[in-house]
Each structure stands twice: as structure tokens, then as C-alpha cells.
Amino acid sequence: MPHTKIPFTKMHGLGNNYIYLNCLDSIPENPEILAVKMSDRNFGIGSDGIVLILPSDQADFQMRMFNSDGSEAQMCGNAVRCVAKYLYDKSITALTTINLETKAGIKILNLKLTNNIVTEVSVDMGKPILEAKLIPTTSPEPKLINFPYEFMGEQFKINAVSMGNPHLVIFVPEISDRLVLELGPKIEHHKLFPERINVEFAHVIDRDNVEMRVWERGSGETQACGTGACAVAVAAALNNLTNREITIKLLGGNLAIKWLENDHVIMTGPAEFICDGFFYLQ
């Protein structure tokens, strides 16, 4: 049986790794199936999902992303930074400010260059969504901020925040494997969240620093999550646990998050190439 040869680039933002496909001239069929096959860490390339870089009639470029289980995600903060580096470092654009269309709206990417190579990207992630019904949740409460709730017999104070995709932030005295790996997937699929949810367990170090681990909807635990870091920063500020400009410490490294007075959240962090290659799809 003949194989389809698909060129790809693998990149990561703080260890949150995706496979990037240049779809400016043609779009692959069934990207949901392709995401599952390419992301498989035993029989594929191995990744948290795939990202399609596409033309846009609303912005400079467009991205669509699919998790490793084939589900489509609205946004990924680490992926948008990688898209910016991909476009500039591969000489597809000379723009150092890129408007990128996503399923969560148009994001503005500001590129920091060193020797004409992108080393860091700041992203205006837009305004957080706090209305419970818009996240969405099935709760009748208008907002779920520092809200008491029980999961699997344990009481928590939960914070539901959307950054274009849904997040549940839980502040804990200590982050453990049990919380992330056992409770995380159960919360992801809980009846409170009709479209599933990303789950962040966060520990406040001081008013300028927070550590977190994330269980991502459709991917499991990842090394970093940009939108999750933004959600944690917003929840921490709303609970008066931190200042509005903080460092989020993730397994893969640090992100700088600033919640501006105009309600927009700015995320700044790195993006890195891993490899280029070809995937042979049977």
C-alpha cells in the first residue's frame, strides 16, 4: 500500500511539544486521525498533538490544533509562541508582530529577536472569561472563584477560568502525583464540565511566584500549558494570593504572566525547534 509523505517540524514551548505542519498551500484530510497517528509515542513521532499553520482572511495567519486524542482545542499558549518562531525563523514572514487567528480569537504575537532568531514571544492572550456558564460549567453559580466543591470525596476551593479554552485552578499546599495523575483525569471528565476541562494544581510560593502542574484535556499531563499559566495567574490575583505580574514555574520551565489593568493577559516565554522530518502515513 502506498504511503503519503508528510513533512513536519517538531517544536516545544517549555517541553509542551507539538508537531507543526505547513498547510499554507494544502490542508491534510482528517487532521483528527492524523493527530492520533502522529502523536503516538510508540508508533508515531510522539507529541502532545499537531498544529496546522494555515492562511487566514482575518489575520496574518491561522492555526488549528488537535490534541493527541484527536480532539480539537481552541488555543494553546505554548503552541502560538512556536508558530511565531516557525513563521519567522523559516522566513515565511518578516513580521515581528504577527496577528494569528485561533479558535479563541485573534492573538497578537510580539517577537523578541537575538541575531535575527526568535528567542522569546509575548502574546496578548485577551481577557479571561469568568462566567461559569461560558467556561462552560453546569453550575447555576454566576462564577466559580474560591468556590467550595467536592471531587471524589475531597473538598477543594475551585476557580474556573477560560482563556479561550476552559481551566479549573485548584490551589493546594503541595502538588502531588496523586492529585495530578489520579484526580486530574477524573475532574477533566466530571459532569460539572460538559466539554471537559484542563486542570491546574498550583502552589503559591510568594506574591511573585507560583508553581503549577497541569492535566490537559485530551493530552494528559504535559510539561507546560500557556493558557493554564494565564488562568492560574488570574485566579491567584482574584484570590489576592499574588500580584498581577508573576512568574509561573512549570515542569518545563518558567513563564512570565502579566494581567494588565485593561483586563488583557500577557504571556511571555520561549519557543524551540526540536527536529524536521517526514511522516509516512499509510
Side-chain angles (χ1 to χ4, degrees):
M1 182 179 293
H3 293 74
T4 301
K5 184 179 178 182
I6 301 174
F8 73 87
T9 297
K10 187 174 179 180
M11 305 180 70
H12 78 90
L14 299 180
N16 192 195
N17 55 90
Y18 288 92
I19 297 160
Y20 293 78
L21 304 180
N22 185 335
C23 302
L24 294 172
D25 295 323
S26 62
I27 302 172
E29 295 181 0
N30 303 313
E32 302 89 348
I33 297 173
L34 190 61
V36 174
K37 290 181 178 293
M38 297 185 84
S39 299
D40 190 291
R41 296 190 186 274
N42 294 309
F43 299 101
I45 300 162
S47 72
D48 295 323
I50 68 171
V51 175
L52 312 184
I53 301 174
L54 304 151
S56 171
D57 56 9
Q58 302 178 37
D60 299 315
F61 299 93
Q62 178 190 175
M63 85 169 206
R64 290 180 67 190
M65 60 174 300
F66 296 84
N67 296 314
S68 57
D69 70 351
S71 60
E72 185 167 10
Q74 296 98 323
M75 248 294 288
C76 172
N78 293 313
V80 296
R81 298 199 313 276
C82 289
V83 168
K85 182 175 178 67
Y86 182 103
L87 289 168
Y88 188 89
D89 285 6
K90 287 184 175 289
S91 300
I92 297 170
T93 184
L95 296 172
T96 54
T97 297
I98 298 173
N99 294 323
L100 182 67
E101 179 186 349
T102 75
K103 291 288 185 179
I106 294 175
K107 305 301 176 187
I108 301 171
L109 319 178
N110 290 297
L111 286 58
K112 178 182 176 181
L113 306 179
T114 302
N115 297 324
N116 207 36
I117 298 294
V118 176
T119 54
E120 199 171 65
V121 181
S122 290
V123 185
D124 185 340
M125 302 290 284
K127 299 178 180 181
I129 298 168
L130 302 175
E131 293 85 348
K133 67 180 180 181
L134 298 180
I135 288 180
T137 80
T138 57
S139 173
E141 298 291 328
K143 295 180 181 180
L144 298 178
I145 298 296
N146 199 33
F147 187 78
Y149 202 86
E150 181 180 296
F151 292 112
M152 291 15 113
E154 292 186 65
Q155 283 288 338
F156 296 96
K157 295 290 186 67
I158 64 174
N159 302 271
V161 180
S162 174
M163 291 302 307
N165 56 353
H167 293 273
L168 190 75
V169 179
I170 301 175
F171 293 101
V172 294
E174 182 179 0
I175 306 171
S176 67
D177 285 348
R178 184 189 67 82
L179 288 173
V180 179
L181 304 178
E182 295 181 19
L183 197 59
K186 293 177 180 176
I187 295 176
E188 176 194 352
H189 294 275
H190 193 274
K191 63 182 179 181
L192 185 62
F193 310 110
E195 296 179 11
R196 299 188 293 165
I197 200 158
N198 303 283
V199 188
E200 285 77 31
F201 294 96
H203 167 65
V204 177
I205 300 170
D206 54 42
R207 292 195 63 83
D208 297 313
N209 296 276
V210 177
E211 63 175 341
M212 65 166 264
R213 285 172 63 182
V214 56
W215 180 268
E216 287 203 52
R217 175 182 63 169
S219 295
E221 185 177 22
T222 58
Q223 294 293 298
C225 177
T227 54
C230 294
V232 167
V234 169
L238 287 173
N239 284 286
N240 195 28
L241 299 173
T242 65
N243 299 315
R244 292 174 69 101
E245 183 174 354
I246 65 174
T247 297
I248 301 286
K249 299 178 181 296
L250 306 108
L251 293 179
N254 297 343
L255 286 174
I257 310 294
K258 183 187 296 187
W259 190 14
L260 303 177
E261 294 301 322
N262 67 4
D263 208 26
H264 283 238
V265 179
I266 307 299
M267 173 197 65
T268 302
E272 300 287 346
F273 288 112
I274 298 174
C275 65
D276 291 309
F278 294 95
F279 180 75
Y280 292 86
L281 180 65
Q282 185 171 338

